[in-house]
Amino acid sequence: MDQLQIKDLEIFAYHGMFPSEKELGQKFVISAILSYDMTKAATDLDLTASVHYGELCQQWTTWFQETTEDLIETVAYKLVERTFETYSLVQEMKLELKKPWAPVHLPLDTCSVTIHRRKKRAFIALGSNMGDKQANLKQAIENMRARRIHILKESSVLTTEPWGGVDQDSFVNQVVEVETWLPAPVLLETLLAIESEMGRVREVHWGPRLIDLDLLFVEDQVLYTDDLILPHPYIAERLFVLESLQEIAPHFIHPTLKQPVRNLYNALKK
């Protein structure tokens, strides 16, 4: 992908663990590579399809100086976050933040941190069978937007019977396709936080729930940890999930089953 590179932007600011760093300040140096498609800007002279690097450098300076943080990791992360928020065309970003005047009493040229993030597409299943069910789905989607998870597509809302053998009210279910630069484990943590904020209480496994947010796919990632399995292990067994998926992404290839969603849906529907 095409890249814009900015190297060694110097900014004086007041970040650091020690009181003297926050009182006296010091120099920081930013370098970054931003990846996005430059075709439209280059061929049509379309400035909306480009990043104005002069404005971006001024924005970084303003953002950098408006707060004080203990850790340069925090500062670098926030710069990446704000850049993605401000420039939706940027698909990938690698930012290095140097601290050449670090209070290390040894021969040292500089210390630095580097944060590298890429936007990814993911699919999230939503379900509710308590209270105003459809309103719960809408609220969850708005909460995702508020957490800067960009909603790309929404499936229709389905009314489905409970899955998992627990006697309870029917569900409404939906799948959304999103774009996010959050790593998969952080995305899952964000979804769990939204569930908690909306009042979900986990009492019965597969039991009634105010809101349920399941991370189905994050592009073609395959992941197995104690906290997160990708792809979601029950996708091929849940007709209501596949029905919603095939509505908005029928040709998406399941990363481990190596079949498009529409094939999995048709096979389970028989």
Side-chain angles (χ1 to χ4, degrees):
M1 186 174 288
D2 309 320
Q3 295 181 334
L4 167 65
Q5 184 168 353
I6 296 172
K7 189 173 182 180
D8 294 340
L9 171 66
E10 295 186 7
I11 303 175
F12 194 90
Y14 298 84
H15 305 290
M17 290 290 295
F18 298 105
S20 59
E21 294 180 289
K22 288 187 168 63
E23 292 170 6
L24 301 176
Q26 60 189 298
K27 181 175 74 173
F28 297 86
V29 181
I30 299 173
S31 295
I33 297 174
L34 285 69
S35 300
Y36 60 95
D37 187 348
M38 297 182 181
T39 304
K40 194 169 181 61
T43 59
D44 298 343
L45 301 182
D46 185 352
L47 295 180
T48 64
S50 179
V51 174
H52 189 314
Y53 44 82
E55 291 181 358
L56 177 59
C57 289
Q58 185 57 61
Q59 286 167 327
W60 282 347
T61 301
T62 300
W63 299 338
F64 205 90
Q65 294 176 333
E66 66 187 8
T67 62
T68 60
E69 304 290 349
D70 290 342
L71 300 177
I72 57 174
E73 292 93 332
T74 304
V75 188
Y77 186 91
K78 287 185 174 181
L79 286 178
V80 171
E81 180 179 53
R82 294 281 289 270
T83 304
F84 274 131
E85 288 173 20
T86 306
Y87 298 94
S88 59
L89 57 82
V90 175
Q91 295 300 305
E92 186 172 358
M93 183 173 176
K94 183 177 182 180
L95 182 142
E96 181 184 19
L97 176 57
K98 299 177 184 178
K99 191 175 181 180
W101 298 351
V104 177
H105 302 298
L106 292 167
L108 175 70
D109 179 54
T110 189
C111 66
S112 71
V113 298
T114 299
I115 292 184
H116 187 185
R117 295 289 186 272
R118 179 177 65 86
K119 288 182 180 176
K120 306 177 197 66
R121 292 194 170 194
F123 293 89
I124 299 165
L126 300 84
S128 175
N129 75 334
M130 297 174 65
D132 190 334
K133 304 172 191 177
Q134 295 214 23
N136 292 338
L137 299 190
K138 291 179 180 178
Q139 185 61 56
I141 290 172
E142 287 307 308
N143 289 352
M144 281 189 255
R145 287 194 177 102
R147 298 284 189 126
R148 302 179 181 88
I149 299 171
H150 181 48
I151 308 296
L152 298 175
K153 293 180 183 177
E154 300 180 33
S155 76
S156 303
V157 176
L158 304 176
T159 300
T160 64
E161 292 305 308
W163 191 92
V166 178
D167 185 23
Q168 56 188 306
D169 196 9
S170 62
F171 276 81
V172 293
N173 292 98
Q174 187 178 21
V175 169
V176 295
E177 182 181 4
V178 306
E179 182 181 66
T180 178
W181 60 277
L182 298 174
V186 179
L187 177 57
L188 177 64
E189 290 175 7
T190 302
L191 298 178
L192 294 176
I194 291 172
E195 288 183 346
S196 179
E197 289 167 5
M198 290 183 63
R200 174 170 180 178
V201 179
R202 297 174 183 270
E203 294 178 335
V204 179
H205 187 50
W206 287 328
R209 63 214 83 163
L210 182 73
I211 190 67
D212 187 27
L213 301 175
D214 286 335
L215 186 54
L216 303 176
F217 300 113
V218 179
E219 293 191 345
D220 60 353
Q221 286 190 30
V222 177
L223 186 65
Y224 185 88
T225 70
D226 290 341
D227 300 315
L228 176 61
I229 300 174
L230 284 175
H232 192 286
Y234 297 116
I235 290 173
E237 301 173 32
R238 294 177 175 176
L239 187 62
F240 63 89
V241 171
L242 289 172
E243 184 173 351
S244 295
L245 272 171
Q246 68 87 29
E247 179 187 344
I248 61 174
H251 305 295
F252 181 83
I253 305 296
H254 192 294
T256 56
L257 300 179
K258 305 301 182 184
Q259 293 188 57
V261 164
R262 61 185 175 84
N263 287 7
L264 297 173
Y265 171 67
N266 290 331
L268 192 61
K269 190 174 64 169
K270 291 179 180 179

